[in-house]
Amino acid sequence: MASRSSWHCCLLAFFLLSSAACGQLSTTFYAASCPTLQLVVRATVLSTLLAERRMGASLVRLFFHDCFVQGCDASILLDDVPATSFVGEKTAFPNVNSVRGYDVIDQIKRRVELLCPGVVSCADIVALAARDSTALLGGPSWEVPLGRRDSTTASLSAANSDLPAPSSDLATLVARFGSKGLSPRDMTALSGAHTIGFSQCANFRDRIYNDTNIDPAFAALRRGGCPAAPGSGDTSLAPLDALTQNVFDNAYYRNLLAQRGLLHSDQVLFNGGSQDALVQQYSSNPALFAADFAAAMIKMGNINPLTGAAGQIRRSCRAVNSS
């Protein structure tokens, strides 16, 4: 009986090790190899948010912009290397002078490397930082499947083509998210991340001056900080959620009901289309939104991860290992 029990234990251990090697993400992936990982990530994110709450939204957005290009592989973190003609994704139109949080990921990576050198991927750090940012700002938390590895490549062209633009209509959004294996419900839940953070005038100028499905008082308010002429005030910021810009809640959806979505791609979710009923549900049921958002973040985190022997564990998140 004892030998059979031991055999079963050996089989279980072999299965768990094989699962990791064969590329299955697991919430316990670093339980033995880096048990303090999540404490380090959370502590660093917390200290970051205490200094600048807005960075929480930036870290969530960083995860989104990573996963939508080549999958969740930390390709967005790679710097250009002129000497080798390597071009990363940081200068893509949706990212340049817009995506933030690179320094925070670098800081987490340095701290993790001191404890668990060569073990934890930058891709997993990005995923954990997005979860902790959400939770620390009042939103849901979830168990993050881990075991991603880091890419050795990046795609400027995919970053320019695959990320939805703030001017997107509903059909385009559904198609873009669908191409990544995400449903319209996932899309509407993930859009709720716009309950935190800010956007630049260049992204919402056309909406506040030309869209008709906008609350006039809200349009007038936003015009005060965003001149009509392109090139003037392009980088001026406005909160995506004017009600609770630094709290992760469901106010974003209440804004949409009042035609106070900042981006054209926000308001199309509630404009007589297929997502109207879901927006109404989220606006009145914060628990439903929280559950769907967490589930959609886990699903997005499973977009084409590199696992097993694919990719590498970068020593620096900004550069491919030299050897």
Side-chain angles (χ1 to χ4, degrees):
M1 197 66 156
S3 66
R4 176 175 293 183
S5 224
S6 299
W7 174 244
H8 284 167
C9 287
C10 288
L11 279 177
L12 177 59
F14 176 77
F15 173 76
L16 291 173
L17 289 171
S18 297
S19 294
C22 291
Q24 294 183 5
L25 300 184
S26 166
T27 58
T28 59
F29 188 85
Y30 297 110
S33 60
C34 195
T36 58
L37 167 64
Q38 299 203 36
L39 292 175
V40 173
V41 175
R42 191 176 185 88
T44 308
V45 172
L46 176 58
S47 65
T48 298
L49 298 189
L50 288 173
E52 183 193 4
R53 288 179 70 86
R54 179 188 161 209
M55 187 57 75
S58 298
L59 290 169
V60 174
R61 185 167 179 248
L62 182 64
F63 183 49
F64 172 69
H65 280 231
D66 182 37
C67 290
F68 260 57
V69 181
Q70 295 193 167
C72 308
D73 61 359
S75 60
I76 193 173
L77 304 180
L78 291 171
D79 286 338
D80 292 352
V81 185
T84 63
S85 300
F86 179 86
V87 178
E89 297 164 12
K90 291 182 177 179
T91 57
F93 183 75
N95 297 335
V96 67
N97 299 321
S98 175
V99 170
R100 306 164 71 236
Y102 302 120
D103 292 344
V104 179
I105 301 302
D106 289 341
Q107 185 179 27
I108 296 171
K109 177 66 170 174
R110 285 193 297 270
R111 291 175 176 178
V112 170
E113 284 295 302
L114 289 174
L115 298 170
C116 319
V119 171
V120 180
S121 69
C122 301
D124 280 342
I125 289 173
V126 171
L128 288 169
R131 187 275 309 273
D132 288 343
S133 293
T134 301
L136 289 168
L137 290 176
S141 188
W142 58 91
E143 292 293 316
V144 179
L146 300 167
R148 301 168 190 80
R149 287 168 65 84
D150 300 323
S151 70
T152 57
T153 63
S155 178
L156 182 70
S157 61
N160 278 319
S161 65
D162 290 10
L163 289 161
S167 59
S168 297
D169 60 22
L170 183 57
T172 299
L173 290 174
V174 169
R176 289 285 173 86
F177 279 76
S179 71
K180 306 300 177 183
L182 298 169
S183 70
R185 188 182 188 98
D186 296 326
M187 173 196 72
T188 300
L190 290 169
S191 296
H194 284 180
T195 189
I196 52 175
F198 292 72
S199 187
Q200 297 181 10
C201 166
N203 293 326
F204 59 84
R205 175 182 283 119
D206 192 57
R207 168 151 173 75
I208 62 174
Y209 285 100
N210 298 318
D211 280 5
T212 56
N213 60 340
I214 188 168
D215 174 61
F218 176 69
L221 174 66
R222 289 293 160 251
R223 287 172 186 167
C226 181
S232 177
D234 283 0
T235 59
S236 296
L237 297 173
L240 288 157
D241 170 10
L243 295 176
T244 54
Q245 59 195 248
N246 288 316
V247 178
F248 198 102
D249 56 18
N250 67 331
Y252 168 80
Y253 299 101
R254 298 199 298 275
N255 290 335
L256 298 186
L257 296 187
Q259 295 190 319
R260 294 169 66 90
L262 183 63
L263 305 179
H264 181 84
S265 58
D266 290 327
Q267 196 60 55
V268 296
L269 299 179
F270 187 78
N271 192 42
S274 62
Q275 300 307 294
D276 281 18
L278 185 57
V279 168
Q280 289 177 316
Q281 290 178 51
Y282 287 161
S283 74
S284 60
N285 190 336
L288 176 63
F289 163 54
D292 280 5
F293 182 82
M297 286 289 278
I298 292 171
K299 191 172 177 180
M300 185 173 73
N302 280 316
I303 298 175
N304 300 328
L306 297 173
T307 56
Q312 61 181 209
I313 303 299
R314 290 187 210 139
R315 289 186 287 272
S316 164
C317 292
R318 292 175 179 264
V320 173
N321 296 343
S322 56
S323 59

